[in-house]
Structures are given as C-alpha cells and as structure tokens.
Amino acid sequence: MTQQGAVLQGYNNELVKCIEDLCMQKEELNKQIQQAEEEKNKLQHEIQVLSEQLDCVCENLAQKVASRNELDKILAETEAAYMKILDSSRTLLNVLKKEVGSLRHSPDLKTN
C-alpha cells in the first residue's frame, strides 16, 4: 500500500507541476494580451490624431483650390477685358490714322 501511495504522490506532484506550468503560461499570455491592448489603444489614438490632421489638411486644401479657381476666373475675365481694350485701341488708332490721312489730303490743310 505504501508503494501505491508513493505512486499516487508522484502523480499528484506531476499534476501540481503541470497546473503550475499552465498558470505560468496563462500569466505570460495575460502580459502579452495587456501589451497588445496597450499597443492597440496607442495606435487607435494615433489614427484619431492623424485622421483629425487629415481632415484639417483636406479642408485647407479645398479652400485653397476654391481660391485658385476664383483667381483663375478673375484672371480670365481680366485678360478678356484687356484684349477688348487692345482691340478697341487698335481700332481707334486705325480710325485716327485714316482721319489724319484724310486731313492731309484736304485742300484746307495744304500749305503753299
């Protein structure tokens, strides 16, 4: 009977050792889980910060594009108006040259 008790004690010791090993594995896994959760939270915070920065950049970009489009419109209108002024100036110059030419051939302006 003593021998059976010793065998049983041996089994019990092994069982306790296995349970202790499992508990140590669980503790190590808990540490890894905690580290992973901390890393996840850190990354989620960084994503939120970057998302807010992206929103600001996108809004700023949209405002700048709208301003550029408005400047393009103003520039196009100004260039068109300037071309009309040039065309009118050319027409006025041509009319003036014709008038001056007509006056030179007029008998009233001829000098003796």
Side-chain angles (χ1 to χ4, degrees), residues 93-106:
L93 181 60
N94 289 337
V95 168
L96 185 59
K97 285 180 179 180
K98 285 180 184 178
E99 291 296 322
V100 168
S102 295
L103 288 176
R104 284 187 186 156
H105 292 84
S106 171

Side-chain angles (χ1 to χ4, degrees), residues 34-59:
Q34 184 178 2
Q35 289 173 345
E37 286 177 345
E38 289 172 1
E39 181 68 15
K40 180 187 120 188
N41 290 336
K42 176 185 169 193
L43 291 172
Q44 284 178 327
H45 177 71
E46 289 176 11
I47 289 171
Q48 181 181 357
V49 168
L50 290 173
S51 180
E52 290 171 2
Q53 289 176 350
L54 179 61
D55 289 344
C56 288
V57 168
C58 287
E59 184 178 327

Side-chain angles (χ1 to χ4, degrees), residues 12-29:
N12 186 47
N13 288 343
E14 281 188 56
L15 184 59
V16 168
K17 175 73 172 133
C18 287
I19 291 172
E20 287 175 353
D21 287 345
L22 288 174
C23 286
M24 287 175 38
Q25 288 178 8
K26 179 184 173 190
E27 285 179 31
E28 180 60 32
L29 192 56

Side-chain angles (χ1 to χ4, degrees), residues 43-112:
L43 291 172
Q44 284 178 327
H45 177 71
E46 289 176 11
I47 289 171
Q48 181 181 357
V49 168
L50 290 173
S51 180
E52 290 171 2
Q53 289 176 350
L54 179 61
D55 289 344
C56 288
V57 168
C58 287
E59 184 178 327
N60 188 298
L61 178 61
Q63 291 173 350
K64 288 180 180 186
V65 167
S67 294
R68 183 192 62 197
N69 291 343
E70 184 64 24
L71 287 174
D72 284 344
K73 179 182 170 189
I74 291 169
L75 184 59
E77 290 172 354
T78 302
E79 287 175 347
Y82 183 68
M83 293 307 290
K84 287 180 182 179
I85 291 170
L86 286 178
D87 190 44
S88 295
S89 295
R90 185 179 334 113
T91 302
L92 178 60
L93 181 60
N94 289 337
V95 168
L96 185 59
K97 285 180 179 180
K98 285 180 184 178
E99 291 296 322
V100 168
S102 295
L103 288 176
R104 284 187 186 156
H105 292 84
S106 171
D108 294 339
L109 290 180
K110 288 188 179 177
T111 57
N112 297 359

